Amino acid sequence: MEIEAKRWGFRGKQELNAASASTVRGYLNQIIARINKDNSSSVIRLGHGDPSHFPSFKTTPAAEDAIVDALRSAKHNCYAPSAGVLPARRAIADYLNRDLPCKLSPDDVYLTSGCNQAIEVARNVLSRPGANILLPRPGFPYYESCSAYNHLEVRHYDLLPEKGWEVDLDAVETIADENTVALVIINPGNPCGNVFSYEQLHKMLISIFLLNLRLQRQQESLGFCTRYVPMRVLGSTVPVLTLGSISKRWIVPGWRLGWIVTSDPNSILKKSGVIDSIAEFLNVSSDPATFIQAAIPQILENTKEDFFSKIISTLRKCADICYNRIEEIPSLTCPKKPEGSMSVMVKLNLSMLEDINDDMDFCLKLAEEESVVVLPGMAMGLKNWLRITFAIEPSLLQEGLGRIKGFCQRHAKKQ
C-alpha cells in the first residue's frame, strides 16, 4: 500500500522560473545545449559579453597588483560598511569628477556587487504599488527580469535603428504618466553599440524635465568612435542615478565591483527619501568583497591611459571586422556601425531564408550546425534580430562570422 506523501510547507517559486528564463544566461543556456558534441569545430561564443579570457582583452597588471597588495596586507579581511569603504568611494567620486561641473562627494557613491546588484538596489528602492519604469527597446534584459520580480510595471520606449538608435522621444512622452518613477538610459548602448551625443542627451533631458521623471543610467564607458558624454554632466536639472562598474572598462566582470552614484544638486532624491532608501536597502543586502573595495584607489590611480587606448583600439578593429563581414551576408543587415560597447544589433531577413522560423530558431540551428553562439534579438526585446558580441580575438571573430555566412548561404532560399 502506497503511503500518502507528507505535505510540506515549502515549494518552488514560479516567478523565479519566468524571470530566469528571460535573462541573457537563460537564453544562452538553451542555445548552448543545442551544440552538437560530435562536431569537431571549436565553439565560438558571439553571444557573451565577457571577453576577459581572450589575450587581447587581458586586464592591466596595475589592477592585478592592486588586488594582490590589498589581499596580502591582511587589513581587509573584515566586513565593510554597507555603503562601501570610504577610500574606495572617495576614489570613485574623484575619478568621475573629471568631467563634471557639479562635483560628487564620497557620500554620493554607494558600492555594490557589480552593476547587476546596483540594478536590484535601484529597482527595490523605486518600486511601489502601481509604479512603472520606462526601459529602452532593445535593451538589457536584466532590468526586465528585476522589474517583473519586484512587481514594477515595465513600459518600453523604442530606439530607432533608422536614426542610429536614437531615442523615440514621442514614445517617451506618450507612455509616461504620474506613476512613472524612472527612465533608463544605457550609454554606450548595450546591445546596439551606439553612443549618445551631447545633443541627443540634451534633448532627452528636456523631455525628462518636462515629464518630471527621475533618470537612471547604466554606464559602460567604452565609446571608441563617438565621444562619450556622461549624463551626470547634464544632471543639474533632473536627478540622476548612475549605475556603473569596473567590469567593462577594466575587463574584470568576475571581480563584481560596481556602484550607484547619485547626482542630486537640487536635493530632489534626498527630499523624496530615495537616498535614505538606498542606504537602508544596502543594510540588508550583500557587499562586494572588502579587499576588492580596498584595491579600488590603487586601480584608479595606477592604470595607465595606454591600457585603455589598447583596449579601445582592439574594439574598434573588431567592430570594423564585424560590420564589414555582416555586409557580405545578404540576409543580415546592420543599420549602424558600432561606436562603443561590445555588441551590435543585426536585423534578420527571414524572407531570404528557408526553414528558419524566427531569431531563436536561427540561433539554435546555428549552434547545432556551426558551433557558433549568438543571442536572439527576442532576448533584448526585438524579435527577428540578433545581438552579436564582437569583443573576442579578431581571428576568432573572423572565423565565427565566416561560419555564419556559410550557414546563411546553406539556408538561403533558392532563386
Side-chain angles (χ1 to χ4, degrees):
M1 181 176 176
E2 187 176 339
I3 300 174
E4 184 180 352
K6 179 178 175 62
R7 289 193 175 185
W8 297 96
F10 53 81
R11 65 178 182 273
K13 198 164 188 176
Q14 296 303 312
E15 292 95 328
L16 283 176
N17 296 340
S20 175
S22 63
T23 63
V24 169
R25 286 179 178 174
Y27 279 99
L28 289 178
N29 288 341
Q30 294 179 63
I31 294 165
I32 291 169
R34 286 287 294 273
I35 292 174
N36 184 356
K37 294 180 175 56
D38 296 327
N39 190 334
S40 60
S41 299
S42 60
V43 177
I44 298 180
R45 301 174 186 264
L46 302 180
H48 299 65
D50 179 4
S52 60
H53 57 284
F54 296 113
S56 294
F57 291 92
K58 181 177 170 57
T59 193
T60 171
E64 298 170 336
D65 292 343
I67 294 292
V68 171
D69 291 347
L71 191 58
R72 287 183 171 169
S73 73
K75 296 178 181 179
H76 311 293
N77 298 329
C78 55
Y79 293 120
S82 58
V85 298
L86 181 58
R89 292 161 58 207
R90 180 182 294 116
I92 290 170
D94 291 343
Y95 186 77
L96 297 177
N97 274 336
R98 296 173 303 171
D99 302 313
L100 294 182
C102 300
K103 299 304 181 183
L104 300 169
S105 78
D107 290 339
D108 298 317
V109 180
Y110 303 84
L111 301 189
T112 60
S113 296
C115 208
N116 277 4
Q117 193 200 15
I119 294 173
E120 293 170 11
V121 172
R123 287 294 164 277
N124 279 277
V125 167
L126 296 175
S127 61
R128 55 174 171 76
N132 66 74
I133 188 164
L134 309 186
L135 301 181
R137 180 172 54 206
F140 184 51
Y142 194 74
Y143 280 99
E144 197 111 17
S145 301
C146 280
S147 298
Y149 187 65
N150 287 310
H151 305 292
L152 186 60
E153 180 193 351
V154 169
R155 298 181 181 179
H156 292 104
Y157 64 88
D158 289 324
L159 303 179
L160 305 172
E162 67 276 11
K163 294 186 177 180
W165 301 109
E166 285 188 17
V167 171
D168 185 349
L169 291 176
D170 291 337
V172 171
E173 295 174 9
T174 299
I175 62 178
D177 61 22
E178 68 277 4
N179 292 317
T180 301
V181 294
L183 179 144
V184 174
I185 293 174
I186 303 174
N187 188 38
N190 178 5
C192 301
N194 61 305
V195 179
F196 291 114
S197 67
Y198 181 93
E199 292 74 19
Q200 290 170 331
L201 292 174
H202 191 259
K203 284 195 291 185
M204 284 185 259
L205 181 74
I206 293 172
S207 293
I208 292 165
F209 175 73
L210 293 175
L211 293 166
N212 197 30
L213 299 181
R214 181 179 295 112
L215 177 66
Q216 188 180 126
R217 227 189 110 260
Q218 182 175 338
Q219 168 189 328
E220 295 283 351
S221 298
L222 277 173
F224 49 79
C225 292
T226 299
R227 183 175 180 270
Y228 168 75
V229 179
M231 194 71 189
R232 296 179 304 277
V233 170
L234 303 170
S236 60
T237 306
V238 300
V240 178
L241 296 179
T242 298
L243 316 183
S245 74
I246 62 172
S247 297
K248 295 293 190 288
R249 193 157 166 77
W250 274 266
I251 322 292
V252 288
W255 292 8
R256 294 298 187 193
L257 193 289
W259 54 77
I260 297 178
V261 172
T262 60
S263 300
D264 189 33
N266 299 313
S267 298
I268 297 170
L269 295 174
K270 185 175 180 61
K271 291 173 183 176
S272 66
V274 169
I275 301 293
D276 289 341
S277 291
I278 292 173
E280 288 159 1
F281 186 85
L282 290 172
N283 280 336
V284 295
S285 65
S286 59
D287 312 320
T290 307
F291 71 90
I292 301 284
Q293 298 185 43
I296 287 297
Q298 190 175 327
I299 291 173
L300 298 183
E301 182 178 353
N302 293 348
T303 301
K304 305 301 183 185
E305 192 59 39
D306 61 353
F307 164 72
F308 300 122
S309 298
K310 176 178 175 292
I311 294 295
I312 288 172
S313 176
T314 303
L315 283 171
R316 186 183 292 114
K317 177 181 178 181
C318 290
D320 288 342
I321 291 171
C322 189
Y323 184 79
N324 293 334
R325 292 303 302 269
I326 289 169
E327 288 276 281
E328 301 171 3
I329 306 173
S331 53
L332 301 182
T333 303
C334 182
K336 184 178 178 65
K337 181 185 286 192
E339 299 173 330
S341 195
M342 297 180 174
S343 61
V344 65
M345 291 297 289
V346 176
K347 189 174 184 179
L348 189 59
N349 190 342
L350 293 175
S351 66
M352 301 180 71
L353 299 170
E354 60 184 10
D355 63 32
I356 301 291
N357 299 321
D358 58 21
D359 52 331
M360 186 65 176
D361 190 40
F362 180 98
C363 294
L364 291 171
K365 289 175 177 173
L366 177 67
E368 185 174 8
E369 297 178 27
E370 296 286 355
S371 297
V372 174
V373 178
V374 298
L375 194 66
M378 64 174 63
M380 326 304 291
L382 207 56
K383 190 174 175 61
N384 294 332
W385 287 66
L386 306 171
R387 189 195 79 171
I388 297 179
T389 301
F390 53 80
I392 70 170
E393 286 298 312
S395 59
L396 278 178
L397 181 61
Q398 289 274 19
E399 182 179 347
L401 292 167
R403 291 190 203 175
I404 293 174
K405 181 178 180 179
F407 174 85
C408 291
Q409 287 173 339
R410 282 199 311 278
H411 288 271
K413 281 188 177 176
K414 306 299 185 287
Q415 298 297 326

mmCIF file of all heavy atoms in Angstrom, residues 224-225 313-328 337-338 390 397-398 401:
data_model
loop_
_atom_site.group_PDB
_atom_site.id
_atom_site.type_symbol
_atom_site.label_atom_id
_atom_site.label_comp_id
_atom_site.label_asym_id
_atom_site.label_seq_id
_atom_site.Cartn_x
_atom_site.Cartn_y
_atom_site.Cartn_z
ATOM 1 N N PHE A 224 34.273 54.252 -28.619
ATOM 2 C CA PHE A 224 35.534 54.272 -29.343
ATOM 3 C C PHE A 224 35.447 54.974 -30.682
ATOM 4 O O PHE A 224 36.454 55.127 -31.357
ATOM 5 C CB PHE A 224 36.089 52.847 -29.530
ATOM 6 C CG PHE A 224 35.107 51.838 -30.050
ATOM 7 C CD1 PHE A 224 34.789 51.772 -31.390
ATOM 8 C CD2 PHE A 224 34.503 50.959 -29.174
ATOM 9 C CE1 PHE A 224 33.888 50.838 -31.856
ATOM 10 C CE2 PHE A 224 33.604 50.010 -29.634
ATOM 11 C CZ PHE A 224 33.292 49.946 -30.979
ATOM 12 N N CYS A 225 34.269 55.394 -31.106
ATOM 13 C CA CYS A 225 34.142 56.149 -32.368
ATOM 14 C C CYS A 225 33.465 57.495 -32.151
ATOM 15 O O CYS A 225 33.655 58.423 -32.913
ATOM 16 C CB CYS A 225 33.351 55.337 -33.400
ATOM 17 S SG CYS A 225 34.223 53.880 -33.989
ATOM 18 N N SER A 313 41.347 50.432 -29.126
ATOM 19 C CA SER A 313 41.833 50.169 -30.476
ATOM 20 C C SER A 313 41.433 48.769 -30.939
ATOM 21 O O SER A 313 41.013 48.577 -32.096
ATOM 22 C CB SER A 313 43.357 50.310 -30.505
ATOM 23 O OG SER A 313 43.874 49.980 -31.778
ATOM 24 N N THR A 314 41.528 47.792 -30.040
ATOM 25 C CA THR A 314 41.125 46.423 -30.380
ATOM 26 C C THR A 314 39.627 46.352 -30.645
ATOM 27 O O THR A 314 39.181 45.696 -31.592
ATOM 28 C CB THR A 314 41.506 45.452 -29.244
ATOM 29 O OG1 THR A 314 42.914 45.541 -28.993
ATOM 30 C CG2 THR A 314 41.149 44.014 -29.604
ATOM 31 N N LEU A 315 38.835 47.036 -29.807
ATOM 32 C CA LEU A 315 37.391 47.055 -30.013
ATOM 33 C C LEU A 315 37.032 47.704 -31.346
ATOM 34 O O LEU A 315 36.133 47.236 -32.054
ATOM 35 C CB LEU A 315 36.709 47.796 -28.863
ATOM 36 C CG LEU A 315 36.572 47.037 -27.545
ATOM 37 C CD1 LEU A 315 36.069 47.967 -26.438
ATOM 38 C CD2 LEU A 315 35.625 45.843 -27.689
ATOM 39 N N ARG A 316 37.720 48.780 -31.683
ATOM 40 C CA ARG A 316 37.453 49.453 -32.959
ATOM 41 C C ARG A 316 37.761 48.517 -34.119
ATOM 42 O O ARG A 316 36.988 48.423 -35.090
ATOM 43 C CB ARG A 316 38.282 50.733 -33.057
ATOM 44 C CG ARG A 316 37.952 51.569 -34.287
ATOM 45 C CD ARG A 316 38.837 52.795 -34.386
ATOM 46 N NE ARG A 316 38.555 53.748 -33.317
ATOM 47 C CZ ARG A 316 39.417 54.060 -32.349
ATOM 48 N NH1 ARG A 316 40.603 53.467 -32.296
ATOM 49 N NH2 ARG A 316 39.092 54.939 -31.428
ATOM 50 N N LYS A 317 38.876 47.802 -34.040
ATOM 51 C CA LYS A 317 39.239 46.843 -35.082
ATOM 52 C C LYS A 317 38.184 45.749 -35.197
ATOM 53 O O LYS A 317 37.757 45.384 -36.303
ATOM 54 C CB LYS A 317 40.602 46.233 -34.758
ATOM 55 C CG LYS A 317 41.061 45.164 -35.736
ATOM 56 C CD LYS A 317 42.417 44.591 -35.333
ATOM 57 C CE LYS A 317 42.857 43.496 -36.284
ATOM 58 N NZ LYS A 317 44.180 42.915 -35.879
ATOM 59 N N CYS A 318 37.733 45.224 -34.050
ATOM 60 C CA CYS A 318 36.725 44.161 -34.054
ATOM 61 C C CYS A 318 35.386 44.666 -34.583
ATOM 62 O O CYS A 318 34.679 43.940 -35.288
ATOM 63 C CB CYS A 318 36.564 43.583 -32.651
ATOM 64 S SG CYS A 318 37.988 42.616 -32.082
ATOM 65 N N ALA A 319 35.025 45.904 -34.231
ATOM 66 C CA ALA A 319 33.775 46.477 -34.729
ATOM 67 C C ALA A 319 33.805 46.606 -36.251
ATOM 68 O O ALA A 319 32.810 46.332 -36.936
ATOM 69 C CB ALA A 319 33.529 47.840 -34.088
ATOM 70 N N ASP A 320 34.965 47.012 -36.807
ATOM 71 C CA ASP A 320 35.099 47.117 -38.262
ATOM 72 C C ASP A 320 34.970 45.746 -38.917
ATOM 73 O O ASP A 320 34.293 45.603 -39.949
ATOM 74 C CB ASP A 320 36.452 47.743 -38.618
ATOM 75 C CG ASP A 320 36.522 49.226 -38.290
ATOM 76 O OD1 ASP A 320 35.450 49.840 -38.120
ATOM 77 O OD2 ASP A 320 37.644 49.761 -38.192
ATOM 78 N N ILE A 321 35.636 44.747 -38.334
ATOM 79 C CA ILE A 321 35.533 43.388 -38.872
ATOM 80 C C ILE A 321 34.084 42.933 -38.877
ATOM 81 O O ILE A 321 33.574 42.415 -39.882
ATOM 82 C CB ILE A 321 36.395 42.408 -38.037
ATOM 83 C CG1 ILE A 321 37.878 42.693 -38.238
ATOM 84 C CG2 ILE A 321 36.079 40.953 -38.411
ATOM 85 C CD1 ILE A 321 38.782 41.928 -37.281
ATOM 86 N N CYS A 322 33.401 43.129 -37.738
ATOM 87 C CA CYS A 322 32.022 42.680 -37.593
ATOM 88 C C CYS A 322 31.120 43.347 -38.628
ATOM 89 O O CYS A 322 30.368 42.676 -39.342
ATOM 90 C CB CYS A 322 31.547 42.987 -36.176
ATOM 91 S SG CYS A 322 29.944 42.276 -35.750
ATOM 92 N N TYR A 323 31.219 44.654 -38.745
ATOM 93 C CA TYR A 323 30.352 45.390 -39.661
ATOM 94 C C TYR A 323 30.626 44.996 -41.115
ATOM 95 O O TYR A 323 29.695 44.744 -41.899
ATOM 96 C CB TYR A 323 30.568 46.899 -39.472
ATOM 97 C CG TYR A 323 29.657 47.759 -40.303
ATOM 98 C CD1 TYR A 323 28.340 47.988 -39.920
ATOM 99 C CD2 TYR A 323 30.113 48.340 -41.483
ATOM 100 C CE1 TYR A 323 27.495 48.787 -40.684
ATOM 101 C CE2 TYR A 323 29.284 49.131 -42.253
ATOM 102 C CZ TYR A 323 27.974 49.348 -41.855
ATOM 103 O OH TYR A 323 27.145 50.130 -42.627
ATOM 104 N N ASN A 324 31.900 44.909 -41.475
ATOM 105 C CA ASN A 324 32.249 44.598 -42.861
ATOM 106 C C ASN A 324 31.867 43.170 -43.242
ATOM 107 O O ASN A 324 31.401 42.924 -44.369
ATOM 108 C CB ASN A 324 33.743 44.827 -43.086
ATOM 109 C CG ASN A 324 34.130 46.296 -42.992
ATOM 110 O OD1 ASN A 324 33.303 47.174 -43.224
ATOM 111 N ND2 ASN A 324 35.369 46.568 -42.622
ATOM 112 N N ARG A 325 32.044 42.209 -42.337
ATOM 113 C CA ARG A 325 31.693 40.833 -42.656
ATOM 114 C C ARG A 325 30.173 40.653 -42.742
ATOM 115 O O ARG A 325 29.677 39.880 -43.558
ATOM 116 C CB ARG A 325 32.271 39.868 -41.605
ATOM 117 C CG ARG A 325 33.771 39.740 -41.604
ATOM 118 C CD ARG A 325 34.339 39.310 -42.955
ATOM 119 N NE ARG A 325 33.823 38.049 -43.445
ATOM 120 C CZ ARG A 325 34.376 36.857 -43.211
ATOM 121 N NH1 ARG A 325 35.488 36.785 -42.491
ATOM 122 N NH2 ARG A 325 33.856 35.749 -43.729
ATOM 123 N N ILE A 326 29.430 41.349 -41.899
ATOM 124 C CA ILE A 326 27.969 41.273 -41.963
ATOM 125 C C ILE A 326 27.460 41.849 -43.281
ATOM 126 O O ILE A 326 26.480 41.359 -43.851
ATOM 127 C CB ILE A 326 27.337 41.992 -40.757
ATOM 128 C CG1 ILE A 326 27.588 41.187 -39.476
ATOM 129 C CG2 ILE A 326 25.825 42.189 -40.938
ATOM 130 C CD1 ILE A 326 27.246 41.913 -38.210
ATOM 131 N N GLU A 327 28.150 42.868 -43.795
ATOM 132 C CA GLU A 327 27.780 43.455 -45.086
ATOM 133 C C GLU A 327 27.842 42.434 -46.226
ATOM 134 O O GLU A 327 27.180 42.593 -47.245
ATOM 135 C CB GLU A 327 28.716 44.634 -45.407
ATOM 136 C CG GLU A 327 28.471 45.871 -44.563
ATOM 137 C CD GLU A 327 27.358 46.728 -45.118
ATOM 138 O OE1 GLU A 327 27.594 47.471 -46.086
ATOM 139 O OE2 GLU A 327 26.231 46.635 -44.591
ATOM 140 N N GLU A 328 28.629 41.366 -46.026
ATOM 141 C CA GLU A 328 28.774 40.328 -47.060
ATOM 142 C C GLU A 328 27.622 39.332 -47.060
ATOM 143 O O GLU A 328 27.543 38.497 -47.951
ATOM 144 C CB GLU A 328 30.084 39.567 -46.837
ATOM 145 C CG GLU A 328 31.343 40.417 -46.882
ATOM 146 C CD GLU A 328 32.568 39.632 -46.445
ATOM 147 O OE1 GLU A 328 32.425 38.409 -46.164
ATOM 148 O OE2 GLU A 328 33.668 40.220 -46.375
ATOM 149 N N LYS A 337 27.162 51.074 -37.850
ATOM 150 C CA LYS A 337 28.428 50.518 -37.362
ATOM 151 C C LYS A 337 28.569 50.836 -35.870
ATOM 152 O O LYS A 337 28.283 51.954 -35.437
ATOM 153 C CB LYS A 337 29.605 51.117 -38.128
ATOM 154 C CG LYS A 337 30.967 50.549 -37.683
ATOM 155 C CD LYS A 337 32.119 51.228 -38.368
ATOM 156 C CE LYS A 337 32.249 50.797 -39.811
ATOM 157 N NZ LYS A 337 33.543 51.242 -40.407
ATOM 158 N N PRO A 338 29.008 49.871 -35.061
ATOM 159 C CA PRO A 338 29.140 50.123 -33.613
ATOM 160 C C PRO A 338 30.089 51.282 -33.329
ATOM 161 O O PRO A 338 31.115 51.439 -33.989
ATOM 162 C CB PRO A 338 29.704 48.807 -33.078
ATOM 163 C CG PRO A 338 29.403 47.788 -34.110
ATOM 164 C CD PRO A 338 29.385 48.499 -35.429
ATOM 165 N N PHE A 390 31.180 41.406 -30.475
ATOM 166 C CA PHE A 390 32.406 41.400 -31.277
ATOM 167 C C PHE A 390 33.666 41.497 -30.429
ATOM 168 O O PHE A 390 34.791 41.533 -30.956
ATOM 169 C CB PHE A 390 32.384 42.521 -32.323
ATOM 170 C CG PHE A 390 32.094 43.895 -31.770
ATOM 171 C CD1 PHE A 390 33.074 44.647 -31.153
ATOM 172 C CD2 PHE A 390 30.815 44.440 -31.875
ATOM 173 C CE1 PHE A 390 32.807 45.914 -30.661
ATOM 174 C CE2 PHE A 390 30.529 45.706 -31.392
ATOM 175 C CZ PHE A 390 31.532 46.442 -30.777
ATOM 176 N N LEU A 397 36.791 36.074 -34.311
ATOM 177 C CA LEU A 397 35.649 36.822 -34.836
ATOM 178 C C LEU A 397 35.518 36.588 -36.342
ATOM 179 O O LEU A 397 34.417 36.343 -36.849
ATOM 180 C CB LEU A 397 35.818 38.310 -34.524
ATOM 181 C CG LEU A 397 34.702 39.240 -34.991
ATOM 182 C CD1 LEU A 397 33.374 38.880 -34.331
ATOM 183 C CD2 LEU A 397 35.062 40.696 -34.698
ATOM 184 N N GLN A 398 36.647 36.655 -37.038
ATOM 185 C CA GLN A 398 36.630 36.396 -38.487
ATOM 186 C C GLN A 398 36.087 34.994 -38.766
ATOM 187 O O GLN A 398 35.236 34.802 -39.645
ATOM 188 C CB GLN A 398 38.049 36.509 -39.053
ATOM 189 C CG GLN A 398 38.599 37.920 -39.115
ATOM 190 C CD GLN A 398 38.199 38.656 -40.380
ATOM 191 O OE1 GLN A 398 37.248 38.276 -41.071
ATOM 192 N NE2 GLN A 398 38.898 39.733 -40.683
ATOM 193 N N LEU A 401 32.209 34.731 -37.909
ATOM 194 C CA LEU A 401 31.367 35.390 -38.907
ATOM 195 C C LEU A 401 31.413 34.657 -40.242
ATOM 196 O O LEU A 401 30.423 34.630 -40.980
ATOM 197 C CB LEU A 401 31.803 36.843 -39.069
ATOM 198 C CG LEU A 401 31.534 37.733 -37.840
ATOM 199 C CD1 LEU A 401 32.258 39.056 -37.946
ATOM 200 C CD2 LEU A 401 30.042 37.956 -37.652
#
